[in-house]
Amino acid sequence: MKAERVATDILFALFNEIGIIDQLARTRLQRTLPSGLQVAHFTLLNHCVRLGDGKTPAELARAFQVTKGALTNTVQRLEARGLVRVEADAEDARRKRVYLTQAGRTVRDEAIAAAAARFADVGLRFSQAEVESALPFLQALRTHLDTHRSETGGEGN
C-alpha cells in the first residue's frame, strides 16, 4: 500500500513543530547538565552508550553531521574531563578511536536522571499511551531521514 502524498504545508508544519520541540528540549536539558557540560557533549556520551563506543572521530562526525574538527573539539573537552579516552586503532595506529570511560557513563546516567525531573511535567500532561503511540512514527521518521541523508547532500549512516 503506497502512502498518499502529504501536502507541503503539512510537512512544513510537522518539521517546524519538531524544530521548536528540539529547541525547547535542548534548553531544558542544558539546564540539567553539570557545569561545563554542553548538550553536544551529553549527546556524544549518550551515543556511545546507545550504539557502542570505539568509533573513530570521522565516524562520529558523520553520525552527528558535523565537521571532524568540531567533533575533535568535543572529544578533547570530554577527554580533559576524563569522560572519554582516545586510543590508537589496533589495526592502524594513525587512526584514533573514542571510548567511553566509567566516569563518562556515570555522568550520562546522572544527566538522564536529572533531565527526568526536568521533564516530569510532560509525564503529567500526557499519558503513557499517548507517548508510546507517538514513538513509532517519530522513530520511523528518524530512520527515514537518517537513511536518506545522501539524497540531501549529507552522508548516510
Side-chain angles (χ1 to χ4, degrees):
M1 178 173 154
K2 186 170 179 172
E4 181 180 321
R5 181 178 284 280
V6 178
T8 303
D9 59 332
I10 298 299
L11 283 175
F12 176 79
L14 170 70
F15 286 104
N16 188 53
E17 290 299 324
I18 290 170
I20 293 167
I21 292 166
D22 176 61
Q23 181 61 45
L24 293 168
R26 283 178 174 273
T27 299
R28 275 192 188 203
L29 177 60
Q30 183 62 57
R31 291 178 180 156
T32 68
L33 295 176
S35 179
L37 196 69
Q38 300 297 314
V39 172
H41 304 152
F42 168 79
T43 304
L44 192 137
L45 297 175
N46 193 51
H47 178 88
C48 289
V49 170
R50 286 181 50 244
L51 301 175
D53 57 2
K55 294 184 175 73
T56 66
E59 290 169 330
L60 291 167
R62 277 193 302 276
F64 290 108
Q65 299 186 56
V66 298
T67 65
K68 189 175 172 227
L71 194 283
T72 298
N73 181 277
T74 298
V75 168
Q76 288 171 342
R77 290 177 184 270
L78 291 172
E79 187 177 30
R81 292 180 71 141
L83 304 178
V84 299
R85 71 181 191 284
V86 179
E87 297 178 5
D89 183 281
E91 296 175 13
D92 182 353
R94 296 171 296 177
R95 193 175 359 172
K96 305 293 182 208
R97 296 212 172 260
V98 179
Y99 295 92
L100 189 63
T101 64
Q102 185 55 50
R105 183 175 298 277
T106 299
V107 165
R108 179 261 189 188
D109 292 346
E110 289 171 354
I112 287 177
R118 179 73 74 164
F119 287 94
D121 64 307
V122 176
L124 295 173
R125 166 59 179 87
F126 299 97
S127 71
Q128 179 89 13
E130 287 174 307
V131 173
E132 286 178 352
S133 70
L135 286 175
F137 170 74
L138 293 172
Q139 290 165 336
L141 179 59
R142 173 188 42 83
T143 299
H144 174 81
L145 292 172
D146 194 29
T147 7
H148 293 86
R149 288 184 195 193
S150 62
E151 295 173 14
T152 59
E155 291 192 29
N157 192 16

mmCIF file of all heavy atoms in Angstrom, residues 56-90:
data_model
loop_
_atom_site.group_PDB
_atom_site.id
_atom_site.type_symbol
_atom_site.label_atom_id
_atom_site.label_comp_id
_atom_site.label_asym_id
_atom_site.label_seq_id
_atom_site.Cartn_x
_atom_site.Cartn_y
_atom_site.Cartn_z
ATOM 1 N N THR A 56 35.717 5.958 15.330
ATOM 2 C CA THR A 56 36.721 6.974 15.017
ATOM 3 C C THR A 56 36.058 8.349 15.061
ATOM 4 O O THR A 56 34.826 8.460 14.898
ATOM 5 C CB THR A 56 37.318 6.764 13.612
ATOM 6 O OG1 THR A 56 36.289 6.992 12.640
ATOM 7 C CG2 THR A 56 37.905 5.366 13.448
ATOM 8 N N PRO A 57 36.861 9.407 15.239
ATOM 9 C CA PRO A 57 36.282 10.753 15.173
ATOM 10 C C PRO A 57 35.559 11.006 13.841
ATOM 11 O O PRO A 57 34.511 11.649 13.831
ATOM 12 C CB PRO A 57 37.497 11.666 15.344
ATOM 13 C CG PRO A 57 38.412 10.858 16.212
ATOM 14 C CD PRO A 57 38.255 9.444 15.702
ATOM 15 N N ALA A 58 36.081 10.487 12.744
ATOM 16 C CA ALA A 58 35.416 10.683 11.447
ATOM 17 C C ALA A 58 34.045 10.008 11.431
ATOM 18 O O ALA A 58 33.064 10.572 10.929
ATOM 19 C CB ALA A 58 36.289 10.144 10.316
ATOM 20 N N GLU A 59 33.953 8.800 11.991
ATOM 21 C CA GLU A 59 32.663 8.105 12.046
ATOM 22 C C GLU A 59 31.679 8.870 12.921
ATOM 23 O O GLU A 59 30.499 9.012 12.565
ATOM 24 C CB GLU A 59 32.847 6.689 12.600
ATOM 25 C CG GLU A 59 33.571 5.746 11.660
ATOM 26 C CD GLU A 59 33.977 4.435 12.308
ATOM 27 O OE1 GLU A 59 34.241 4.405 13.539
ATOM 28 O OE2 GLU A 59 34.038 3.425 11.578
ATOM 29 N N LEU A 60 32.149 9.377 14.041
ATOM 30 C CA LEU A 60 31.282 10.153 14.925
ATOM 31 C C LEU A 60 30.848 11.453 14.263
ATOM 32 O O LEU A 60 29.685 11.857 14.379
ATOM 33 C CB LEU A 60 31.993 10.422 16.252
ATOM 34 C CG LEU A 60 32.203 9.192 17.139
ATOM 35 C CD1 LEU A 60 33.172 9.501 18.263
ATOM 36 C CD2 LEU A 60 30.879 8.679 17.677
ATOM 37 N N ALA A 61 31.757 12.110 13.560
ATOM 38 C CA ALA A 61 31.411 13.358 12.864
ATOM 39 C C ALA A 61 30.320 13.100 11.835
ATOM 40 O O ALA A 61 29.374 13.886 11.717
ATOM 41 C CB ALA A 61 32.654 13.957 12.208
ATOM 42 N N ARG A 62 30.429 12.002 11.098
ATOM 43 C CA ARG A 62 29.378 11.660 10.124
ATOM 44 C C ARG A 62 28.058 11.398 10.833
ATOM 45 O O ARG A 62 27.007 11.838 10.391
ATOM 46 C CB ARG A 62 29.782 10.440 9.299
ATOM 47 C CG ARG A 62 30.689 10.762 8.133
ATOM 48 C CD ARG A 62 30.817 9.603 7.161
ATOM 49 N NE ARG A 62 31.325 8.380 7.775
ATOM 50 C CZ ARG A 62 32.606 8.104 7.972
ATOM 51 N NH1 ARG A 62 33.529 8.961 7.610
ATOM 52 N NH2 ARG A 62 32.971 6.955 8.533
ATOM 53 N N ALA A 63 28.104 10.680 11.949
ATOM 54 C CA ALA A 63 26.872 10.351 12.684
ATOM 55 C C ALA A 63 26.170 11.612 13.166
ATOM 56 O O ALA A 63 24.942 11.706 13.135
ATOM 57 C CB ALA A 63 27.186 9.440 13.867
ATOM 58 N N PHE A 64 26.962 12.610 13.603
ATOM 59 C CA PHE A 64 26.391 13.849 14.133
ATOM 60 C C PHE A 64 26.256 14.941 13.083
ATOM 61 O O PHE A 64 25.772 16.030 13.386
ATOM 62 C CB PHE A 64 27.218 14.355 15.317
ATOM 63 C CG PHE A 64 27.077 13.499 16.539
ATOM 64 C CD1 PHE A 64 28.116 12.678 16.952
ATOM 65 C CD2 PHE A 64 25.902 13.477 17.256
ATOM 66 C CE1 PHE A 64 27.980 11.869 18.067
ATOM 67 C CE2 PHE A 64 25.764 12.670 18.373
ATOM 68 C CZ PHE A 64 26.799 11.864 18.778
ATOM 69 N N GLN A 65 26.713 14.657 11.885
ATOM 70 C CA GLN A 65 26.654 15.612 10.781
ATOM 71 C C GLN A 65 27.327 16.925 11.133
ATOM 72 O O GLN A 65 26.778 18.011 10.925
ATOM 73 C CB GLN A 65 25.206 15.823 10.315
ATOM 74 C CG GLN A 65 24.572 14.545 9.797
ATOM 75 C CD GLN A 65 23.211 14.777 9.208
ATOM 76 O OE1 GLN A 65 23.065 15.586 8.294
ATOM 77 N NE2 GLN A 65 22.217 14.091 9.700
ATOM 78 N N VAL A 66 28.526 16.809 11.689
ATOM 79 C CA VAL A 66 29.359 17.971 11.988
ATOM 80 C C VAL A 66 30.715 17.737 11.360
ATOM 81 O O VAL A 66 31.033 16.625 10.920
ATOM 82 C CB VAL A 66 29.514 18.202 13.516
ATOM 83 C CG1 VAL A 66 28.166 18.472 14.169
ATOM 84 C CG2 VAL A 66 30.196 17.021 14.193
ATOM 85 N N THR A 67 31.530 18.776 11.330
ATOM 86 C CA THR A 67 32.872 18.612 10.785
ATOM 87 C C THR A 67 33.713 17.773 11.733
ATOM 88 O O THR A 67 33.443 17.705 12.940
ATOM 89 C CB THR A 67 33.568 19.973 10.579
ATOM 90 O OG1 THR A 67 33.766 20.568 11.870
ATOM 91 C CG2 THR A 67 32.748 20.888 9.678
ATOM 92 N N LYS A 68 34.755 17.165 11.191
ATOM 93 C CA LYS A 68 35.662 16.377 12.038
ATOM 94 C C LYS A 68 36.315 17.292 13.068
ATOM 95 O O LYS A 68 36.524 16.896 14.221
ATOM 96 C CB LYS A 68 36.708 15.674 11.178
ATOM 97 C CG LYS A 68 37.531 14.695 11.971
ATOM 98 C CD LYS A 68 38.485 13.916 11.084
ATOM 99 C CE LYS A 68 39.410 13.087 11.954
ATOM 100 N NZ LYS A 68 40.787 13.171 11.588
ATOM 101 N N GLY A 69 36.606 18.539 12.700
ATOM 102 C CA GLY A 69 37.200 19.497 13.633
ATOM 103 C C GLY A 69 36.284 19.790 14.813
ATOM 104 O O GLY A 69 36.735 19.824 15.958
ATOM 105 N N ALA A 70 35.009 19.985 14.532
ATOM 106 C CA ALA A 70 34.046 20.251 15.610
ATOM 107 C C ALA A 70 33.938 19.037 16.533
ATOM 108 O O ALA A 70 33.897 19.176 17.757
ATOM 109 C CB ALA A 70 32.679 20.605 15.034
ATOM 110 N N LEU A 71 33.905 17.852 15.935
ATOM 111 C CA LEU A 71 33.812 16.637 16.739
ATOM 112 C C LEU A 71 35.078 16.437 17.560
ATOM 113 O O LEU A 71 35.013 16.088 18.737
ATOM 114 C CB LEU A 71 33.558 15.436 15.815
ATOM 115 C CG LEU A 71 33.114 14.152 16.489
ATOM 116 C CD1 LEU A 71 34.157 13.371 17.159
ATOM 117 C CD2 LEU A 71 31.855 14.328 17.266
ATOM 118 N N THR A 72 36.231 16.700 16.968
ATOM 119 C CA THR A 72 37.503 16.563 17.682
ATOM 120 C C THR A 72 37.530 17.484 18.892
ATOM 121 O O THR A 72 37.977 17.102 19.972
ATOM 122 C CB THR A 72 38.686 16.840 16.738
ATOM 123 O OG1 THR A 72 38.662 15.858 15.686
ATOM 124 C CG2 THR A 72 40.011 16.781 17.455
ATOM 125 N N ASN A 73 37.005 18.690 18.734
ATOM 126 C CA ASN A 73 36.943 19.635 19.849
ATOM 127 C C ASN A 73 36.083 19.079 20.979
ATOM 128 O O ASN A 73 36.456 19.134 22.152
ATOM 129 C CB ASN A 73 36.400 20.988 19.361
ATOM 130 C CG ASN A 73 36.331 22.008 20.455
ATOM 131 O OD1 ASN A 73 35.374 22.041 21.224
ATOM 132 N ND2 ASN A 73 37.351 22.848 20.538
ATOM 133 N N THR A 74 34.942 18.519 20.634
ATOM 134 C CA THR A 74 34.051 17.917 21.636
ATOM 135 C C THR A 74 34.750 16.762 22.342
ATOM 136 O O THR A 74 34.720 16.663 23.572
ATOM 137 C CB THR A 74 32.742 17.433 20.968
ATOM 138 O OG1 THR A 74 32.073 18.561 20.409
ATOM 139 C CG2 THR A 74 31.829 16.735 21.956
ATOM 140 N N VAL A 75 35.409 15.906 21.574
ATOM 141 C CA VAL A 75 36.112 14.758 22.153
ATOM 142 C C VAL A 75 37.227 15.240 23.084
ATOM 143 O O VAL A 75 37.391 14.710 24.192
ATOM 144 C CB VAL A 75 36.672 13.831 21.045
ATOM 145 C CG1 VAL A 75 37.652 12.812 21.616
ATOM 146 C CG2 VAL A 75 35.527 13.130 20.321
ATOM 147 N N GLN A 76 37.967 16.259 22.677
ATOM 148 C CA GLN A 76 39.054 16.782 23.515
ATOM 149 C C GLN A 76 38.520 17.319 24.839
ATOM 150 O O GLN A 76 39.126 17.109 25.898
ATOM 151 C CB GLN A 76 39.835 17.861 22.775
ATOM 152 C CG GLN A 76 40.703 17.312 21.665
ATOM 153 C CD GLN A 76 41.316 18.394 20.784
ATOM 154 O OE1 GLN A 76 40.861 19.538 20.764
ATOM 155 N NE2 GLN A 76 42.344 18.018 20.038
ATOM 156 N N ARG A 77 37.394 18.003 24.798
ATOM 157 C CA ARG A 77 36.798 18.530 26.032
ATOM 158 C C ARG A 77 36.344 17.405 26.957
ATOM 159 O O ARG A 77 36.528 17.460 28.168
ATOM 160 C CB ARG A 77 35.646 19.467 25.705
ATOM 161 C CG ARG A 77 36.120 20.773 25.083
ATOM 162 C CD ARG A 77 34.942 21.661 24.710
ATOM 163 N NE ARG A 77 35.378 22.849 24.033
ATOM 164 C CZ ARG A 77 35.688 23.994 24.626
ATOM 165 N NH1 ARG A 77 35.597 24.100 25.932
ATOM 166 N NH2 ARG A 77 36.080 25.034 23.911
ATOM 167 N N LEU A 78 35.764 16.366 26.370
ATOM 168 C CA LEU A 78 35.332 15.221 27.169
ATOM 169 C C LEU A 78 36.528 14.443 27.713
ATOM 170 O O LEU A 78 36.503 13.971 28.848
ATOM 171 C CB LEU A 78 34.423 14.308 26.340
ATOM 172 C CG LEU A 78 33.054 14.882 25.985
ATOM 173 C CD1 LEU A 78 32.330 13.967 25.000
ATOM 174 C CD2 LEU A 78 32.215 15.110 27.229
ATOM 175 N N GLU A 79 37.557 14.338 26.907
ATOM 176 C CA GLU A 79 38.766 13.636 27.347
ATOM 177 C C GLU A 79 39.428 14.392 28.509
ATOM 178 O O GLU A 79 39.874 13.773 29.486
ATOM 179 C CB GLU A 79 39.737 13.488 26.180
ATOM 180 C CG GLU A 79 40.943 12.634 26.497
ATOM 181 C CD GLU A 79 41.855 12.433 25.303
ATOM 182 O OE1 GLU A 79 41.926 13.320 24.421
ATOM 183 O OE2 GLU A 79 42.526 11.380 25.261
ATOM 184 N N ALA A 80 39.453 15.715 28.438
ATOM 185 C CA ALA A 80 40.040 16.522 29.508
ATOM 186 C C ALA A 80 39.291 16.338 30.821
ATOM 187 O O ALA A 80 39.890 16.447 31.897
ATOM 188 C CB ALA A 80 40.053 18.001 29.107
ATOM 189 N N ARG A 81 38.021 16.021 30.745
ATOM 190 C CA ARG A 81 37.212 15.781 31.954
ATOM 191 C C ARG A 81 37.234 14.314 32.376
ATOM 192 O O ARG A 81 36.581 13.946 33.354
ATOM 193 C CB ARG A 81 35.766 16.207 31.698
ATOM 194 C CG ARG A 81 35.613 17.709 31.536
ATOM 195 C CD ARG A 81 34.176 18.070 31.286
ATOM 196 N NE ARG A 81 33.406 17.865 32.504
ATOM 197 C CZ ARG A 81 32.443 18.662 32.920
ATOM 198 N NH1 ARG A 81 32.130 19.736 32.217
ATOM 199 N NH2 ARG A 81 31.775 18.399 34.024
ATOM 200 N N GLY A 82 37.932 13.476 31.606
ATOM 201 C CA GLY A 82 38.006 12.058 31.937
ATOM 202 C C GLY A 82 36.757 11.278 31.582
ATOM 203 O O GLY A 82 36.531 10.187 32.112
ATOM 204 N N LEU A 83 35.945 11.815 30.683
ATOM 205 C CA LEU A 83 34.680 11.169 30.337
ATOM 206 C C LEU A 83 34.807 10.229 29.140
ATOM 207 O O LEU A 83 33.955 9.345 28.950
ATOM 208 C CB LEU A 83 33.600 12.224 30.095
ATOM 209 C CG LEU A 83 33.384 13.188 31.268
ATOM 210 C CD1 LEU A 83 32.327 14.222 30.922
ATOM 211 C CD2 LEU A 83 33.029 12.437 32.540
ATOM 212 N N VAL A 84 35.823 10.445 28.322
ATOM 213 C CA VAL A 84 36.162 9.525 27.231
ATOM 214 C C VAL A 84 37.677 9.369 27.220
ATOM 215 O O VAL A 84 38.400 10.190 27.793
ATOM 216 C CB VAL A 84 35.679 10.014 25.836
ATOM 217 C CG1 VAL A 84 34.172 10.164 25.774
ATOM 218 C CG2 VAL A 84 36.378 11.288 25.414
ATOM 219 N N ARG A 85 38.119 8.313 26.574
ATOM 220 C CA ARG A 85 39.548 8.154 26.324
ATOM 221 C C ARG A 85 39.727 7.911 24.831
ATOM 222 O O ARG A 85 38.860 7.304 24.185
ATOM 223 C CB ARG A 85 40.145 7.044 27.177
ATOM 224 C CG ARG A 85 39.755 5.661 26.820
ATOM 225 C CD ARG A 85 40.388 4.611 27.764
ATOM 226 N NE ARG A 85 40.191 3.284 27.235
ATOM 227 C CZ ARG A 85 39.046 2.613 27.269
ATOM 228 N NH1 ARG A 85 37.984 3.153 27.834
ATOM 229 N NH2 ARG A 85 38.951 1.406 26.748
ATOM 230 N N VAL A 86 40.830 8.382 24.313
ATOM 231 C CA VAL A 86 41.133 8.231 22.902
ATOM 232 C C VAL A 86 42.352 7.326 22.799
ATOM 233 O O VAL A 86 43.368 7.564 23.463
ATOM 234 C CB VAL A 86 41.409 9.596 22.240
ATOM 235 C CG1 VAL A 86 41.754 9.433 20.772
ATOM 236 C CG2 VAL A 86 40.203 10.525 22.415
ATOM 237 N N GLU A 87 42.226 6.286 21.991
ATOM 238 C CA GLU A 87 43.308 5.323 21.823
ATOM 239 C C GLU A 87 43.603 5.127 20.347
ATOM 240 O O GLU A 87 42.722 5.311 19.503
ATOM 241 C CB GLU A 87 42.918 3.966 22.428
ATOM 242 C CG GLU A 87 42.677 3.990 23.908
ATOM 243 C CD GLU A 87 42.255 2.629 24.454
ATOM 244 O OE1 GLU A 87 42.241 1.637 23.688
ATOM 245 O OE2 GLU A 87 41.931 2.570 25.642
ATOM 246 N N ALA A 88 44.828 4.717 20.065
ATOM 247 C CA ALA A 88 45.193 4.383 18.694
ATOM 248 C C ALA A 88 44.433 3.132 18.275
ATOM 249 O O ALA A 88 44.217 2.219 19.080
ATOM 250 C CB ALA A 88 46.697 4.151 18.593
ATOM 251 N N ASP A 89 44.037 3.096 17.021
ATOM 252 C CA ASP A 89 43.360 1.935 16.460
ATOM 253 C C ASP A 89 44.328 0.756 16.452
ATOM 254 O O ASP A 89 45.504 0.908 16.129
ATOM 255 C CB ASP A 89 42.902 2.264 15.033
ATOM 256 C CG ASP A 89 42.122 1.143 14.399
ATOM 257 O OD1 ASP A 89 42.749 0.175 13.945
ATOM 258 O OD2 ASP A 89 40.888 1.239 14.345
ATOM 259 N N ALA A 90 43.861 -0.425 16.811
ATOM 260 C CA ALA A 90 44.716 -1.615 16.878
ATOM 261 C C ALA A 90 45.273 -2.008 15.515
ATOM 262 O O ALA A 90 46.374 -2.533 15.415
ATOM 263 C CB ALA A 90 43.928 -2.778 17.482
#
